[in-house]
Amino acid sequence: MNNFIKRTISGIGFVAIMLAAFLTNKYVFGTVMLLALIIMMKEFLKMTCGKNYWFSQILSILAGATLFALTFLFKGFNFPGRLVILAFVPVFILMINSLYVKDKSRFDKFSNLYAALIYIAVPWSVLNFAVFNGQGDFNGILLLCFFAIIWGTDVGAYLFGITLGQKYGKKLFPSISPKKSWIGFWGGLATAVAVAVALHYAGLFCFDLIHCICMALLLSVTGVYGDLIESQWKRHYEVKDSGSIIPGHGGLLDRFDSALIAIPIGIIYLVVMNVL
């Protein structure tokens, strides 16, 4: 019961912070998302690099934070787009720094410093394209809808998986995540579509219904892949959770692993279909 209460309270606090980021203003959004990026990169690098190359880890996190900050300024404050290229400067510093690392006995871990940028910083920076229009006006409703669909997928997959998936049907990806089942996958997919339709008729997901359904399908499927990708990292490094910042729930990377793949795909869909 104590663990349940702890999970409930921390979960409510997490959702409250996320809602504040989406529904208040761009300053709150930028601050919360930048802190989330830094924490996720720190969790990932602690998991993959441990205490090796701590200064290089700081440089990697600085490079990721710079990319997010410059993208945020570009979309929200009419910062010259050409100057976003400055985000490469910390990356070059990171590369040069590798030459001066004296202990190269675990130099294979150095690649994880770059993986953190590609896996976390780049897709997280794309979130800025979902909350700002061409004039720099902030509106977090679209991003809130994206997260609602992803969370709906998780809830649906859990409910269908725990009630039916563990007894019937095949496992989805047993070598990486033994508890996930195909029944849970289809249940999560159906729930995602139901959430998207509900958001559409509530006037929040403001696109044609067919686009809402297509995005729900894309977000659900790619969100599952995002979850599996992080599970693969954790299984390789033999850790249960990426961190412990959310009591009873693990780390931020555990909470946002699906979003790192799904939300950029959703934004790409809207751009390609010329509706964003």
Side-chain angles (χ1 to χ4, degrees):
M1 179 61 71
N2 288 335
N3 185 58
F4 174 77
I5 294 173
K6 180 172 66 174
R7 285 175 57 87
T8 301
I9 294 174
S10 61
I12 292 173
F14 171 74
V15 172
I17 293 173
M18 294 299 293
L19 289 176
F22 298 147
L23 301 178
T24 51
N25 56 61
K26 58 186 177 183
Y27 301 103
V28 175
F29 169 82
T31 301
V32 171
M33 294 298 126
L34 180 59
L35 287 175
L37 169 64
I38 292 171
I39 293 170
M40 284 192 291
M41 291 189 69
K42 184 177 182 296
E43 290 175 346
F44 177 82
L45 292 173
K46 181 180 179 181
M47 174 175 64
T48 58
C49 295
K51 296 181 179 179
N52 300 101
Y53 312 124
W54 64 269
F55 181 70
S56 299
Q57 291 186 40
I58 293 174
L59 290 177
S60 178
I61 293 172
L62 176 62
T66 300
L67 175 61
F68 179 87
L70 289 175
T71 308
F72 175 75
L73 292 173
F74 164 59
K75 290 298 295 180
F77 294 88
N78 295 316
F79 185 76
R82 67 182 184 278
L83 296 183
V84 175
I85 200 172
L86 292 174
F88 284 104
V89 173
V91 179
F92 295 147
I93 295 174
L94 174 63
M95 292 177 179
I96 295 170
N97 173 71
S98 69
L99 299 173
Y100 295 93
V101 173
K102 294 181 179 180
D103 182 11
K104 291 185 170 61
S105 59
R106 300 308 307 272
F107 195 69
D108 57 308
K109 290 183 175 294
F110 219 86
S111 60
N112 292 320
L113 301 171
Y114 305 120
L117 294 171
I118 297 172
Y119 175 41
I120 300 173
V122 172
W124 200 248
S125 297
V126 175
L127 300 188
N128 290 304
F129 289 83
V131 298
F132 293 110
N133 61 19
Q135 291 72 46
D137 299 321
F138 175 80
N139 188 335
I141 296 298
L142 174 59
L143 196 55
L144 176 61
C145 289
F146 280 169
F147 273 103
I149 291 170
I150 293 170
W151 293 335
T153 298
D154 291 342
V155 172
Y158 175 79
L159 293 177
F160 279 88
I162 202 70
T163 55
L164 299 174
Q166 301 304 314
K167 296 181 180 179
Y168 310 103
K170 296 181 179 180
K171 299 299 182 182
L172 180 64
F173 228 116
S175 63
I176 294 177
S177 187
K179 291 184 178 181
K180 286 184 171 57
S181 65
W182 277 105
I183 291 178
F185 170 80
W186 293 114
L189 195 68
T191 306
V193 172
V195 171
V197 171
L199 291 170
H200 170 76
Y201 284 109
L204 297 176
F205 212 8
C206 300
F207 302 101
D208 290 342
L209 183 59
I210 186 63
H211 285 309
C212 294
I213 293 174
C214 287
M215 278 187 286
L217 296 173
L218 280 173
L219 291 169
S220 181
V221 173
T222 54
V224 171
Y225 275 115
D227 191 325
L228 290 171
I229 288 169
E230 197 222 358
S231 294
Q232 183 170 245
W233 282 103
K234 292 193 293 186
R235 180 167 289 271
H236 178 76
Y237 287 100
E238 298 180 341
V239 298
K240 182 179 182 295
D241 298 315
S242 66
S244 58
I245 193 171
I246 309 175
H249 292 272
L252 278 191
L253 188 56
D254 297 322
R255 303 280 67 79
F256 291 129
D257 52 0
S258 298
L260 289 173
I261 307 297
I263 291 180
I265 292 296
I267 294 172
I268 290 171
Y269 172 87
L270 292 174
V271 171
V272 170
M273 300 303 293
N274 197 32
V275 290
L276 182 62

